[in-house]
Amino acid sequence: QVQLVESGGGLVQAGGSLKLSCAASGSFATVNFMTWYHQRPRDQREIVASMISGTGTTYRDSVKGRFTISRDDAKNTLYLQMDNLQPEDTGIYYCSFNVRLETGGPALTYWGQGTQVTVSS
């Protein structure tokens, strides 16, 4: 089993910054890709940024130049640095890891519990 614990959300004024963390624990052999999602109230969950092993990173157009996805392998932690936050960035942010377990089998996707980000104008 893999557990993801998110932290770093909060209330910030427009133009401010937050850094989200997603700490992974458990036994997994490889990580295929890691993703941050954003969900506004009554909307679908949408990809904000992804980090694909061996390939690189991708971002939603609206956050390019403002958000940065990164990882610390020693800490098994994924980050999302969010700068110049805007009211439309408000919502719940979820992380997910697609991994292969040490016990084998197909790749599985695990989710964090979500962290609330609120940006006031």
Side-chain angles (χ1 to χ4, degrees), residues 12-38:
V12 65
Q13 288 187 331
S17 297
L18 287 172
K19 186 173 185 177
L20 307 183
S21 299
C22 174
S25 61
S27 298
F28 49 92
T30 59
V31 178
N32 297 318
F33 55 89
M34 299 166 284
T35 307
W36 285 100
Y37 289 78
H38 173 218

Side-chain angles (χ1 to χ4, degrees), residues 62-89:
S62 63
V63 307
K64 286 180 180 177
R66 300 190 298 122
F67 291 11
T68 304
I69 188 172
S70 63
R71 62 192 287 184
D72 184 333
D73 290 339
K75 297 180 179 179
N76 280 337
T77 301
L78 180 71
Y79 301 100
L80 185 67
Q81 176 68 45
M82 304 187 295
D83 297 319
N84 190 21
L85 282 160
Q86 299 301 313
E88 55 266 31
D89 297 320

Side-chain angles (χ1 to χ4, degrees), residues 4-9 20-21 36-37 45 91-95 111-117:
L4 303 180
V5 178
E6 300 181 37
S7 61
L20 307 183
S21 299
W36 285 100
Y37 289 78
R45 201 171 293 187
I92 301 175
Y93 285 75
Y94 299 89
C95 62
W111 291 86
Q113 81 283 4
T115 185
Q116 176 70 44
V117 170

Side-chain angles (χ1 to χ4, degrees), residues 29-68:
T30 59
V31 178
N32 297 318
F33 55 89
M34 299 166 284
T35 307
W36 285 100
Y37 289 78
H38 173 218
Q39 185 169 22
R40 300 185 185 90
R42 298 177 294 280
D43 280 353
Q44 289 184 332
R45 201 171 293 187
E46 297 181 344
I47 293 174
V48 174
S50 291
M51 179 172 285
I52 304 169
S53 295
T55 301
T57 58
T58 61
Y59 296 90
R60 186 170 70 189
D61 285 347
S62 63
V63 307
K64 286 180 180 177
R66 300 190 298 122
F67 291 11
T68 304

